[in-house]
Amino acid sequence: MTKSTHYRTVWLSDIHLGCKDCKAEYLLDFLTHNKIDTLYLVGDIVDMWAMSRQFLWPKSHNVLFHTLISLSTKGTRVIYLPGNHDEPVQKYDGMMFGDIEIHREYIHTTLAGKKLLLLHGDQFDQEVCFGAFHSWIGDKLYDLLLFLNRWYNRARNMLGFPYWSLAGYIKSRVKGANEAIDRYKQACIARAREMGLDGVVCGHIHHPEIDEQQGVTYCNDGDWIENCSALTENSQGELQLVYWAKITASEKLHRISVRQSSSGKQKAA
């Protein structure tokens, strides 16, 4: 059984509830096995873009949504920083939704005293984008990558192998994708430096990473579409990326995924 961990802070983004590629079962498992003092939801929690094209809300997504909301009533401070896929929530910046705080940007101070700028990252789209046509091509190619990733992992599932991100593997070997990721990272770092902060935590590009550049710490908490990753701060104030699909490559979670995807009552994740 996976050992439970108590985290001072956890950052999650790009869950994309309502999207068929959301790995809701993995995130539910992560939340079940870990205690969190402060949880930051760093945007794209509900994929309103995907749901506007095709409504999809399986049982696992519904359970996860209510689990995230209920954490704020069970001792976890929850702060929500909406992104571009949940853009309508941005207008509630500075307000409360029940016990959940909503902010477009926020500053977190770690136990070690580091001040970190928190934001989803879509604020830098104009700086990073290569133009409308290239952006459209990028979206179509990414949809293809997720399609390949979905069916590849269904085959692995049938053969008894754990989840592995084919999409992430392919993306890491595409020169143009790496150039865009670096431009995005530099834009985030520049914003934190301009504000006199020690670092930045973001999501948006589905590329988990911790990097230190000239005294500024860049953290991207990744996603729950490809990587099943979270950024964590432990009781010593240390920051670390956790890849939950790798940690829970176990029969328990594997059987849950198979049973839910074949139930007929909901579509596979």
Side-chain angles (χ1 to χ4, degrees):
M1 184 176 178
T2 306
K3 184 179 178 182
S4 178
T5 304
H6 186 169
Y7 291 112
R8 181 176 186 262
T9 316
V10 168
W11 291 265
L12 302 172
S13 78
D14 299 274
I15 299 170
H16 291 276
L17 289 166
C19 172
K20 57 190 170 186
D21 292 293
C22 168
K23 305 298 184 293
E25 291 90 348
Y26 283 96
L27 183 48
L28 278 167
D29 197 65
F30 172 81
L31 294 172
T32 298
H33 284 98
N34 297 287
K35 180 174 174 55
I36 304 168
D37 292 338
T38 300
L39 173 64
Y40 290 102
L41 300 172
V42 194
D44 288 4
I45 306 307
V46 177
D47 195 333
M48 297 178 184
W49 290 10
M51 292 176 69
S52 68
R53 295 191 299 268
Q54 178 185 7
F55 184 79
L56 177 76
W57 197 255
K59 183 178 179 180
S60 59
H61 292 209
N62 195 54
V63 173
L64 177 53
F65 180 76
H66 287 286
T67 299
L68 290 169
I69 291 176
S70 66
L71 285 173
S72 64
T73 66
K74 298 178 180 178
T76 298
R77 184 186 182 196
V78 180
I79 300 174
Y80 181 13
L81 299 94
N84 52 315
H85 284 256
D86 42 19
E87 183 180 5
V89 187
Q90 293 178 13
K91 63 185 177 183
Y92 300 108
D93 181 19
M95 300 175 66
M96 300 284 292
F97 177 75
D99 296 315
I100 298 175
E101 302 173 42
I102 301 174
H103 298 279
R104 182 66 169 135
E105 298 183 6
Y106 198 78
I107 296 176
H108 171 80
T109 303
T110 69
L111 196 63
K114 280 192 171 185
K115 292 189 179 298
L116 306 174
L117 170 65
L118 315 183
L119 74 176
H120 179 64
D122 57 300
Q123 292 91 333
F124 306 113
D125 280 354
Q126 295 302 315
E127 297 176 48
V128 176
C129 186
F130 290 101
F133 178 73
H134 288 87
S135 179
W136 181 83
I137 289 292
D139 286 343
K140 296 302 178 185
L141 290 176
Y142 188 59
D143 286 344
L144 175 61
L145 275 183
L146 291 181
F147 173 82
L148 295 173
N149 191 68
R150 196 181 314 132
W151 284 99
Y152 173 77
N153 276 289
R154 284 178 183 174
R156 284 178 63 88
N157 202 335
M158 292 172 63
L159 295 171
F161 294 106
Y163 174 83
W164 182 73
S165 179
L166 174 66
Y169 176 81
I170 294 174
K171 193 168 65 175
S172 68
R173 281 154 177 77
V174 177
K175 182 181 178 182
N178 288 323
E179 289 176 353
I181 288 169
D182 187 63
R183 287 177 61 175
Y184 173 81
K185 177 165 67 171
Q186 296 307 320
C188 291
I189 290 172
R191 172 72 67 84
R193 186 175 286 120
E194 288 169 4
M195 296 176 67
L197 301 174
D198 301 300
V200 59
V201 177
C202 57
H204 193 42
I205 59 170
H206 300 192
H207 186 76
E209 183 180 6
I210 298 178
D211 191 19
E212 187 87 18
Q213 290 197 9
Q214 298 178 343
V216 177
T217 302
Y218 168 83
C219 301
N220 192 302
D221 58 27
D223 64 281
W224 294 82
I225 289 283
E226 302 172 37
N227 298 289
C228 298
S229 59
L231 178 68
T232 64
E233 179 190 5
N234 63 20
S235 57
Q236 287 76 48
E238 298 168 334
L239 300 175
Q240 182 182 23
L241 281 167
V242 171
Y243 295 86
W244 197 247
K246 294 179 182 179
I247 292 174
T248 57
S250 63
E251 287 188 18
K252 175 176 178 290
L253 183 58
H254 186 65
R255 286 200 299 269
I256 290 172
S257 296
V258 171
R259 184 172 66 251
Q260 289 184 341
S261 63
S262 60
S263 67
K265 294 183 179 180
Q266 65 180 69
K267 297 183 180 180

